[in-house]
Amino acid sequence: MSAPPGPLLGGVRWQGRIFSGGWVPGSGGEYDSVEPATGQVLARVGAASAADLPQAAETAHRAQQEWAALPYDQRARVLRRAARLFEDHADEIDEWLVRESGATRPFNAPIILSIRAIAPALVLGNAVLMKPDPRTAVCGGVVLARVFEEAGLPEGLFHLLPGGVDVGGALVEDPLVRVIAFTGSTRAGRQIAAAAGERLKRVHLELGGNSALVVLDDVDVEQAVSVGSFGSFNHSGQICMATSRHLVAEKIAADYAAALAEHAARLPVGDPARADVAVGPIIDAGQRDRIHEIVTSSVDAGAKLAAGGTFEGLFYSPTVLTDVPLTAPAYAQEIFGPVAPVVPFSTVDEAVRLAGGTGYGLSLGILTRDVSKGLALAERIPSGLVHINDQTVNDEALAPFGGVGESGTGSRHGGARANLEAFTETQWVTVRGDLPRYPF
């Protein structure tokens, strides 16, 4: 029997910019990585600044040329070693995900959101500059850097640049960076798209969502409520694909809302390190306050609070709203919190108008006993992802992922064909044995 693997992350102090093969002092100082559930400092992280980008990009550019020249199976060998390291260190990584991101076990969004772009980009011969969310720089950044370092990724190919908006802006602007893959808000995505467009750079945008769960009147209400509850309250609703609007057939809407409120009220909220907790903390006070402002403004606009609407520290109680005006913030905006607005519809045509009427188009769930009816309904609603008889938070790193409208540009990565299109250039080459003769 082999010995268990040693710790991947070791100590809790990372100073400076991280790249495969070593550590370079960053110019952005240091900051604390804080556990949202307890306020405890987990690590000291060295921050990058915009001044670090030119060196990182130049180093990556030099390393990339040699990496791309390797046979594909040699590059794949490194990625397979990385995959084994993720498996070997799963418990340690899971602990960081719980403590730094506030997620319950297992929830790996900070990793999967990055790795579905990083892994194909690397195996196809590219170098990577990664700017993680500073609030999850360890579980969503250092973990990846250490895995690839231990897997033997050649020096200079992967650079981790924890930092703020200035770092992201410098990354988009650097002439050596040819492709941008961004996950974040629609507001930030518009700015990135504009800056990339000025520089004629390819950009892949996975942006916000206001995803609808359409519940037809032929479902088992209690079972449908369980599905909808998971879609809205998993990870405290801090998922781009979260079920943000429950559009329920008028015939069962009152029963559905009442049952959803009961589910919300009995979900245990607290420190996700505890096994009995279902809903953990909001990532920070700023996001918590934004959620509460959306809830209170919606109530002021006429919505009724059926459950929740309160918080203690960073823990926001699962919230259900009924009688929600279509102009209320909880209906019209992305919430990114544990809030479930319930809105009835009287006809399928009305459900179509409601589901597709916000401008977003990331994910869609349709619950019905009649799968054919669900598929026909899905064809009428613009959405990058559709799930018949499931909630909206479904993801698979090997499936093409992306939204339409205000949820993204419709571009995809995930899956062999989409990854090839995302992270390679198409070059047409012709060869003749002899020079041609032209009538010129």
Side-chain angles (χ1 to χ4, degrees):
M1 181 181 293
S2 60
L8 180 70
L9 299 178
V12 291
R13 188 178 185 88
W14 292 277
Q15 296 176 306
R17 173 167 59 83
I18 304 162
F19 69 98
S20 56
W23 307 76
V24 173
S27 61
E30 294 184 5
Y31 67 94
D32 291 333
S33 171
V34 177
E35 182 175 20
T38 66
Q40 178 183 342
V41 174
L42 301 174
R44 290 288 290 170
V45 178
S49 74
D52 295 315
L53 254 297
Q55 180 189 359
E58 180 59 40
T59 302
H61 179 66
R62 291 196 302 267
Q64 182 271 335
Q65 297 175 58
E66 185 174 344
W67 173 247
L70 290 175
Y72 76 91
D73 58 331
Q74 293 187 32
R75 299 195 300 268
R77 196 173 302 135
V78 174
L79 272 292
R80 292 192 184 101
R81 284 198 295 265
R84 287 194 294 271
L85 286 163
F86 275 114
E87 293 176 343
D88 292 344
H89 294 279
D91 290 342
E92 182 186 359
I93 294 170
D94 189 49
E95 185 71 19
W96 274 99
L97 286 164
V98 168
R99 299 192 65 192
E100 190 182 33
S101 75
T104 53
R105 306 174 191 267
F107 183 84
N108 64 354
I111 291 177
I112 198 171
L113 289 174
S114 300
I115 201 66
R116 67 171 164 222
I118 291 171
L122 286 172
V123 81
L124 289 169
N126 299 282
V128 172
L129 308 181
M130 180 188 181
K131 192 202 87 66
D133 187 319
R135 299 169 296 185
T136 52
V138 179
C139 68
V142 176
V143 163
L144 295 160
R146 287 289 296 120
V147 162
F148 285 120
E149 188 175 31
E150 290 295 309
L153 187 71
E155 183 175 325
L157 281 171
F158 182 92
H159 297 253
L160 181 66
L161 298 149
V165 174
D166 62 324
V167 176
L171 194 153
V172 175
E173 292 171 4
D174 194 285
L176 292 177
V177 176
R178 296 167 59 188
V179 177
I180 307 293
F182 172 76
T183 299
S185 71
T186 298
R187 178 185 57 80
R190 291 184 192 278
Q191 296 171 348
I192 290 169
E198 289 180 1
R199 294 159 179 82
L200 299 180
K201 293 188 178 187
R202 188 185 310 176
V203 60
H204 304 285
L205 301 176
E206 197 276 278
L207 307 179
N210 190 355
S211 299
L213 181 69
V214 179
V215 185
L216 302 185
D217 62 10
D218 60 352
V219 299
D220 177 282
V221 172
E222 183 60 31
Q223 191 172 0
V225 164
S226 175
V227 172
S229 179
F230 182 88
S232 285
F233 304 136
N234 182 32
H235 193 45
S236 299
Q238 298 171 106
I239 307 171
C240 59
M241 299 170 287
T243 299
S244 299
R245 295 173 296 140
H246 297 243
L247 307 180
V248 186
E250 193 172 55
K251 178 180 176 182
I252 61 170
D255 291 341
Y256 181 96
L260 185 62
E262 291 177 5
H263 276 246
R266 66 173 181 251
L267 284 172
V269 179
D271 186 342
R274 289 169 30 202
D276 62 331
V277 165
V279 179
I282 303 302
I283 190 66
D284 60 25
Q287 179 60 19
R288 177 207 61 201
D289 293 345
R290 181 182 177 276
I291 294 166
H292 196 57
E293 171 63 24
I294 287 175
V295 171
T296 56
S297 296
S298 297
V299 171
D300 290 343
K304 293 181 180 178
L305 199 61
T310 62
F311 63 87
E312 182 176 346
L314 294 181
F315 299 101
Y316 204 94
S317 56
T319 299
V320 177
L321 296 171
T322 61
D323 297 337
V324 184
L326 302 189
T327 55
Y331 183 87
Q333 299 177 18
E334 179 181 35
I335 304 170
F336 219 69
V339 180
V342 180
V343 174
F345 63 85
S346 57
T347 67
V348 169
D349 287 342
E350 183 183 11
V352 169
R353 288 195 301 271
L354 291 171
T358 66
Y360 292 96
L362 182 54
S363 189
L364 170 69
I366 299 173
L367 307 186
T368 176
R369 294 182 188 274
D370 187 336
V371 172
S372 297
K373 184 186 294 184
L375 288 169
L377 182 58
E379 289 182 355
R380 301 175 62 188
I381 302 170
S383 181
L385 318 170
V386 179
H387 307 291
I388 308 298
N389 283 330
D390 206 349
Q391 42 76 41
T392 55
V393 185
N394 275 280
D395 195 13
E396 171 53 61
L398 298 179
F401 185 93
V404 297
E406 294 185 16
S407 294
T409 54
S411 60
R412 302 286 192 273
H413 45 81
R417 178 180 296 179
N419 287 337
L420 283 169
E421 293 177 354
F423 300 113
T424 65
E425 300 284 0
T426 299
Q427 185 181 58
W428 183 36
V429 178
T430 69
V431 177
R432 300 178 69 113
D434 298 306
L435 296 181
R437 297 181 181 277
Y438 292 108
F440 283 84

